[in-house]
Amino acid sequence: MCFILHSAAVRQGIVDTVKRALGDPKVKSVVICGQNGIFCGGADIKEFGTNMSGPPLVPMIHAIEAANKPVVAAIEGSALGGGLELALGCHYRIAHSKARLGLPEVSLGLLPAAGGTQRLPRLIGVPAALDLITTGRHVAAAEALQLGVVDRVAEHSTVDAAVKFALSVAAKPLDARRISTYPCPCPSDFDALFEGAMQKVRQNARGAIAPVACVQAVRAAATRPYLQGMEREKELMATLFTSGQARALQYCFFAQRAVSKWSMPNGARWDTSKPRPVHKAAVIGLGTMGRGIAVALAQTGLSVVAVETQEKQLMEAKQAVSGMLERGAKRRGLTPAALHKISYSHDIQAVADVDLVIEAVFEDMALKKKVFQQLSAVCKPGTFLCTNTSALDVDHLASQTRNPELVVGMHFFAPAHVMKLLEVVYGPQSSPQAVATAMQLGKKMGKVGVAVGNCRGFVGNRMLKPYIEQAFFLLEEGATPELVDRALEEFGFPMGVFRMSDLSGLDVGWRVRKGDGLVESGLASGQPTRLREGRRYSPLGDLLCEQGRFGQKTGRGWYQYDQPGSRVARSDPWFHSFLEEYRARHGLVARRIDHQEVLERCLYALINEGFRILEDGIAAGPEDIDIIYVFGYGWPRHRGGPMFYAGMVGLARVLERLEHYHQAHPDVPYLQPCSLLRRLVASGSPPVHRWREVIKKLHSQL
Ligand code: ADP
């Protein structure tokens, strides 16, 4: 008998059919399998948040486990979440060699609450169960067999194998096959084990509560009888189920899917724009970004042409790229076939026959313009020309080419072969096909692509500017880098703004500010000013750069490091006295600044810019912004992204605080609440999925 499991109807079906099978003397054993080659992806996520209808999973799994005829799970495709929990209730598990198993509930802010936290440790031991349940990672069949999650792996028809097997065990006693009756294998260093696990989980969780609850539930499996453990599992799940974090994580799950359904203000959309296939791609410039992009391209199986003008750089890049591909292949247990897919050249002529080019030369407009002119002349007709610029004007580059409709931005994040985010930047002339092709290529490269309009800094970096600016102002007003970073790290960022700035290099922003004519030679004139065209400006970053303090790479920045390149940031007494002198020089009196002010000023300024981006039509919806921040900027996923977070805080509250801070700092335009935020509050602060309606109305009135 075969079943699928993903909805109330299916659960009812299983309950009824198992009951019939057990009551039918002709049936000797039962096989549970999925339909269409997939055992089960778990509870239907759409059911979350609504009242689950139909028979609940726990008693259903109990009934299966208690059956007096052997029940065998035949796992093909995947057994995730509730699906694996069901399989754990069966007496035997047979998986296809390509099947994947896991309990991913933690990534949705939940725990496996149909006995998963109680059965898995009884079956495979506490350490392995903790690993699977607290990370939510999926394992392949081979690993599942090694861990003891499944009894056998089938190479061919899993169902046939399971049926054969079920018949062979039809008369065997089942007492030793009911996992809930197993004692949980208890290691001798029990306390140390859980203490260590809890510490590790808390550190990685950055404030997320679900992984912590998972450890508590597994602990209950190890310390309490099964039924009491189940009670604890239920209790912990109840807390998680109604938490804001679960809402945020489930929002992220849907938002990630929503952003692939991109749209442009001119009406072009994902479902009406056909991508063109890309078989051969090129990367121009093999610095840090170009190397990572070349690796990511080659790993998709594409032929790649890599062009770099400097001989020495080319040699180094070749080695570095090969190393990255070899390590990547080793991790995945593959041979680095991608190595042979890359050819290297000094000469831009080598890109003549590629389908798509990604330019990653220095961030210099004059140079990029020249490269785009060359590309336009060299490439075959129809080649898409993409730039990896993080801030320069994509339209301007497009205007250098014969076919501006073929030009889009593909903004990767460092290291490009690791980081998931890709901003696909379209200009007014970009064709829907160019956007569709870049989005599809990004997906093939394993990236989360978000289509955004062209503006200074696009979405991510544009919102970062007011955030960093507030952090600088807070230093002037009395905070320290340590205080600001601690507040942001406690919020859940992996790194605060100053540690991050030290890591990415202070000189990057300095060069941009110089280009914008903002930097004065402060020390030369003796007194750098703190205003630019009526707007408050902090020259603190410029002053550090003038001292050669570029961050980690020079061993000094906002913090000090044991040596250049070292990663451990230490408080720097030099900086503290420099800051005090700076304040004294400018007549600034330090006041006490608390974490709440740090968060409100940095985050609400960033969020306010997010609303402006929505107002300007640069991002199609709040989900796009949130996914950019979660995947590219370390925004804690359990807080759902900045726009979702604003909704959780309450839009009226965000507006009120921005008004308050803008009143206190009238020379900071970023703190002035934008009209979309006002409009949303005036419309009764609708939930985030209804913002698009308000935005549409706003646009139609413009
Ligand atoms: P990033 O850190 O953004 O990757 P880098 O400055 O490290 O940037 O790298 C840019 C690379 O582009 C350098 O290796 C440089 O030699 C190379 N480059 C500059 N101009 C050209 C060009 N016209 N064609 C190919 N490569 C170029």
Side-chain angles (χ1 to χ4, degrees):
M1 269 158 257
C2 300
F3 315 93
I4 53 166
L5 166 85
H6 66 241
S7 70
V10 171
R11 287 195 299 275
Q12 189 65 55
I14 294 180
V15 168
D16 294 345
T17 323
V18 169
K19 209 171 178 182
R20 235 181 32 238
L22 298 180
D24 183 343
K26 288 199 294 294
V27 176
K28 301 289 178 235
S29 47
V30 179
V31 170
I32 298 186
C33 66
Q35 210 177 36
N36 306 328
I38 299 171
F39 182 73
C40 172
D44 191 335
I45 189 172
K46 287 196 202 89
E47 276 195 357
F48 288 143
T50 61
N51 283 329
M52 269 227 218
S53 53
L57 268 179
V58 172
M60 181 183 108
I61 295 173
H62 266 291
I64 289 171
E65 192 185 56
N68 53 7
K69 298 176 186 177
V71 184
V72 181
I75 301 168
E76 284 183 315
S78 55
L80 302 175
L84 181 55
E85 291 180 291
L86 167 67
L88 291 172
C90 297
H91 305 118
Y92 300 93
R93 284 155 296 282
I94 298 185
H96 186 263
S97 56
K98 294 234 165 67
R100 299 188 70 77
L101 299 89
L103 295 171
E105 284 83 350
V106 69
S107 59
L108 295 170
L110 304 172
L111 52 73
T117 67
Q118 303 305 300
R119 284 199 180 86
L120 195 61
R122 285 181 159 81
L123 182 65
I124 64 172
V126 170
L130 274 175
D131 170 40
L132 291 190
I133 296 172
T134 60
T135 63
R137 78 182 175 92
H138 302 176
V139 295
E143 188 180 351
L145 181 68
Q146 195 190 8
L147 288 170
V149 180
V150 298
D151 304 294
R152 285 185 183 196
V153 172
E155 283 304 328
H156 304 290
S157 169
T158 318
V159 178
D160 289 350
V163 169
K164 214 163 137 194
F165 179 80
L167 290 173
S168 76
V169 294
K172 288 214 172 137
L174 291 169
D175 284 348
R177 303 301 311 176
R178 297 189 177 100
I179 299 174
S180 73
T181 65
Y182 296 3
C184 185
C186 252
S188 52
D189 53 350
F190 176 86
D191 282 329
L193 176 78
F194 275 98
E195 219 166 277
M198 194 55 111
Q199 214 171 11
K200 190 170 145 210
V201 158
R202 277 192 204 280
Q203 204 170 9
N204 294 337
R206 297 195 267 129
I209 53 176
V212 174
C214 287
V215 178
Q216 289 169 324
V218 172
R219 193 173 213 279
T223 51
R224 301 181 188 191
Y226 172 73
L227 284 177
Q228 282 182 28
M230 285 299 283
E231 278 304 306
R232 181 76 177 131
E233 181 187 90
K234 191 168 152 190
E235 199 178 279
L236 288 162
M237 175 64 162
T239 317
L240 295 179
F241 197 76
T242 51
S243 70
Q245 291 196 2
R247 256 205 293 155
L249 288 159
Q250 286 158 35
Y251 163 79
C252 282
F253 178 88
F254 287 117
Q256 192 178 337
R257 276 145 193 83
V259 299
S260 63
K261 303 185 170 170
W262 56 271
S263 62
M264 280 156 70
N266 65 9
R269 292 163 50 95
W270 66 281
D271 50 353
T272 50
S273 312
K274 206 167 172 288
R276 227 181 316 125
V278 175
H279 303 292
K280 191 167 183 184
V283 182
I284 314 287
L286 295 179
T288 330
M289 292 305 292
R291 294 174 193 188
I293 296 169
V295 169
L297 281 171
Q299 281 173 340
T300 65
L302 289 181
S303 295
V304 181
V305 182
V307 178
E308 164 62 54
T309 40
Q310 284 185 40
E311 181 66 35
K312 187 163 165 269
Q313 187 76 332
L314 182 63
M315 297 307 290
E316 282 173 14
K318 247 186 195 178
Q319 256 188 355
V321 167
S322 303
M324 284 191 262
L325 286 172
E326 266 163 26
R327 283 192 296 276
K330 208 167 167 187
R331 248 197 324 272
R332 288 187 250 168
L334 306 167
T335 49
L339 275 179
H340 311 293
K341 294 263 183 186
I342 305 193
S343 62
Y344 295 86
S345 176
H346 297 117
D347 188 358
I348 200 153
Q349 296 289 340
V351 308
D353 66 340
V354 304
D355 306 306
L356 181 144
V357 181
I358 302 175
E359 165 280 313
V361 302
F362 298 127
E363 195 74 346
D364 171 351
M365 193 43 143
L367 173 63
K368 285 193 194 265
K369 267 164 74 172
K370 201 182 96 203
V371 171
F372 268 73
Q373 288 159 7
Q374 286 175 330
L375 288 172
S376 183
V378 166
C379 292
K380 68 180 184 192
T383 300
F384 296 107
L385 304 181
C386 311
T387 172
N388 176 50
T389 181
S390 56
L392 297 178
D393 187 348
V394 176
D395 294 342
H396 197 57
L397 288 175
S399 70
Q400 307 302 310
T401 68
R402 281 193 299 235
N403 299 93
E405 72 279 6
L406 297 173
V407 176
V408 289
M410 284 184 85
H411 180 206
F412 291 87
F413 289 73
H417 61 300
V418 177
M419 291 289 284
K420 284 274 197 195
L421 179 64
L422 170 68
E423 280 182 323
V424 171
V425 187
Y426 56 80
Q429 304 196 68
S430 308
S431 70
Q433 190 179 46
V435 177
T437 305
M439 287 292 281
Q440 194 191 44
L441 179 62
K443 192 170 170 196
K444 256 182 129 176
M445 293 164 87
K447 306 295 174 201
V448 179
V450 185
V452 300
N454 181 30
C455 67
R456 187 81 192 263
F458 316 133
V459 170
N461 287 344
R462 174 168 160 183
M463 288 169 70
L464 209 57
K465 202 171 158 198
Y467 167 83
I468 295 173
E469 185 187 85
Q470 286 302 313
F472 284 16
F473 293 163
L474 286 163
L475 292 190
E476 295 187 340
E477 292 166 38
T480 59
E482 291 82 351
L483 175 103
V484 173
D485 282 354
R486 211 174 309 126
L488 293 167
E489 286 160 20
E490 276 175 19
F491 178 79
F493 282 101
M495 257 186 224
V497 57
F498 291 108
R499 283 216 292 144
M500 190 63 218
S501 155
D502 271 358
L503 172 69
S504 46
L506 275 65
D507 51 323
V508 184
W510 192 36
R511 223 175 306 130
V512 175
R513 293 193 296 274
K514 270 186 177 167
D516 290 345
L518 290 168
V519 176
E520 292 173 349
S521 183
L523 293 184
S525 67
Q527 179 80 316
T529 53
R530 295 178 42 250
L531 273 184
R532 299 288 182 276
E533 293 177 352
R535 296 169 68 129
R536 181 170 168 190
Y537 177 83
S538 170
L540 274 170
D542 304 336
L543 294 175
L544 290 199
C545 287
E546 279 183 26
Q547 308 255 338
R549 297 176 72 106
F550 292 169
Q552 277 186 15
K553 58 185 160 195
T554 58
R556 297 269 185 283
W558 302 103
Y559 295 95
Q560 59 176 330
Y561 299 83
D562 286 345
Q563 61 196 40
S566 146
R567 284 168 172 257
V568 184
R570 292 185 206 289
S571 188
D572 189 347
W574 179 89
F575 179 75
H576 289 162
S577 58
F578 162 81
L579 188 57
E580 270 170 36
E581 274 167 38
Y582 171 90
R583 290 189 194 123
R585 212 164 350 119
H586 290 283
L588 295 161
V589 181
R591 60 186 173 83
R592 212 187 139 269
I593 289 169
D594 59 16
H595 281 200
Q596 188 183 341
E597 182 173 351
V598 173
L599 293 182
E600 287 181 347
R601 284 187 50 190
C602 292
L603 302 184
Y604 295 179
L606 174 146
I607 287 166
N608 196 31
E609 194 60 19
F611 282 115
R612 284 205 182 94
I613 282 172
L614 290 174
E615 202 172 81
D616 294 351
I618 293 293
E623 297 86 358
D624 301 84
I625 296 178
D626 286 334
I627 288 302
I628 287 173
Y629 261 80
V630 167
F631 284 94
Y633 292 84
W635 185 282
R637 199 179 161 94
H638 61 269
R639 292 191 193 267
M643 308 320 282
F644 181 87
Y645 175 71
M648 291 288 271
V649 170
L651 298 185
R653 162 102 186 147
V654 174
L655 174 61
E656 182 266 311
R657 296 316 287 160
L658 279 167
E659 274 171 342
H660 165 83
Y661 289 120
H662 188 233
Q663 230 165 42
H665 307 279
D667 53 357
V668 182
Y670 280 130
L671 291 172
Q672 183 170 17
C674 90
S675 52
L676 175 60
L677 174 58
R678 288 189 188 284
R679 175 69 75 101
L680 284 163
V681 173
S683 330
S685 302
V688 71
H689 66 269
R690 303 245 329 268
W691 291 5
R692 281 179 200 237
E693 295 161 30
V694 179
I695 296 165
K696 229 186 201 164
K697 226 188 259 164
L698 193 77
H699 284 166
S700 68
Q701 286 166 2
L702 288 179

